[in-house]
Amino acid sequence: MEDGYHYRNKSVIPVQKVNDEVNIEKCFIQYDEHNVLMNKLRSLISELNLSIYDENNHLGAIRHIMFRTNTLKSEIMVGIVAKEKFNKLDEFVVKISKLDDRIVSIMLNINDKKTNVIFGDKTENLFGKDYITDTLDGIEFKISLRSFYQVNPVQTEVLYSKALELAELKETDTIIDAYCGIGTISLFAAKKVKKVYGIEIVEAAVLDARENAKNNNITNVEFLLGKSEDVIKKLISQDVKLDAVIVDPPRKGCEESFLRDLAAMDIEKIVYVSCNPATLARDMEIMRGLGYKLGAVQPVDMFPGTYHVECVVLLVKA
């Protein structure tokens, strides 16, 4: 990345009185808007003497503050993650809404479990909309509090362009985008092919993806809810002929059964987008045993200032 500073469009900041957290004034990889708001919210929490979660005894309320901002920096979402609703919440929301006129959404997520997982199951809109809107490569996306959306918009275009380039897609192709989230790669790819099937296990993400397709008048994409390995089996049973598959799994990589099903479908090209080189290497070894060879590997600097790297890999039927 040319400028590896202040690129993160999403920040999740732990809130604690006394623990292992380091009190920071400025983070050099998150948007500077988030730094400003982080310091202002810290002061507000202190000024209002709000209830703060203590993970040792599972008491108190506020656990994390989250910020999401679109690429144009015209819309900001503030998320409050708390164990429970707390005293002065309404006053807190009013004061947050006045910190920056670009704040278009304030959300509350309730996580009452004794866990280090950030989000709970229940989310409530406290102010404005329940999403922000971002545009990538001319495609508009609605992003909700818990949507998966790449954190570095500049490099996301680089990453997806490279994935589609390696796939060498044709106008007559039918492809799958597995682990599709809110449909980012699917909608990118739809411009180049006949049909895209996007597969995602999170229902809210599938609903967002369908709405994103509709809002952009993209009609050659179908988003399917379920585990990638289950949906693939269903498509096999329906005799769907696939020309290429793009997979963009979470850090744990792909289920072996899913990779075996891909191989069984005799798909010529698989483009694997990975955020974890260790699980990528493991899955590559499985695919080699199933008759695929490595066509190309391209690391992409998605997370400057950290040890993380994204990789795009082309696998070709040997």
Side-chain angles (χ1 to χ4, degrees), residues 38-77:
M38 174 180 72
N39 290 313
K40 286 181 176 178
L41 260 73
R42 182 195 288 118
S43 298
L44 271 182
I45 290 168
S46 179
E47 175 194 316
L48 294 170
N49 194 23
L50 300 179
S51 173
I52 295 170
Y53 181 67
D54 181 340
E55 63 182 30
N56 293 325
N57 56 30
H58 194 48
L59 295 172
I62 303 174
R63 302 173 72 135
H64 290 85
I65 297 291
M66 175 176 162
F67 304 114
R68 296 194 97 139
T69 300
N70 64 357
T71 308
L72 291 175
K73 312 276 185 80
S74 61
E75 294 187 344
I76 300 171
M77 172 186 284

Side-chain angles (χ1 to χ4, degrees), residues 10 12 66-68 77-81 105 107-113 115 117-124 130-132 142-150 181-182 200-206 208:
K10 171 186 167 187
V12 183
M66 175 176 162
F67 304 114
R68 296 194 97 139
M77 172 186 284
V78 179
I80 304 161
V81 182
S105 173
M107 306 296 296
L108 174 68
N109 177 267
I110 300 292
N111 181 1
D112 58 6
K113 295 185 173 67
T115 176
V117 173
I118 291 168
F119 292 114
D121 296 328
K122 188 183 169 194
T123 301
E124 186 181 324
D130 59 1
Y131 63 90
I132 58 171
K142 285 174 79 168
I143 307 156
S144 54
L145 182 80
R146 297 181 62 189
S147 294
F148 173 76
Y149 192 69
Q150 293 283 4
I182 62 170
E200 173 57 52
I201 195 169
V202 179
E203 186 174 10
V206 170
D208 281 348

Side-chain angles (χ1 to χ4, degrees), residues 84-148:
E84 59 206 10
K85 285 194 171 180
F86 49 91
N87 193 26
K88 298 183 185 171
L89 173 60
D90 292 346
E91 188 180 348
F92 188 40
V93 170
V94 170
K95 285 181 180 289
I96 293 172
S97 70
K98 292 176 178 172
L99 293 177
D100 191 309
D101 59 12
R102 294 172 293 175
I103 294 173
V104 296
S105 173
I106 302 176
M107 306 296 296
L108 174 68
N109 177 267
I110 300 292
N111 181 1
D112 58 6
K113 295 185 173 67
K114 195 162 185 165
T115 176
N116 61 1
V117 173
I118 291 168
F119 292 114
D121 296 328
K122 188 183 169 194
T123 301
E124 186 181 324
N125 176 237
L126 301 177
F127 169 85
K129 306 183 290 185
D130 59 1
Y131 63 90
I132 58 171
T133 305
D134 198 20
T135 303
L136 274 179
D137 195 33
I139 303 168
E140 197 175 272
F141 295 95
K142 285 174 79 168
I143 307 156
S144 54
L145 182 80
R146 297 181 62 189
S147 294
F148 173 76

Side-chain angles (χ1 to χ4, degrees), residues 175-193:
I175 71 165
I176 278 179
D177 172 20
Y179 310 93
C180 71
I182 62 170
T184 39
I185 294 182
S186 302
L187 299 181
F188 264 64
K191 296 178 176 182
K192 299 178 180 289
V193 299

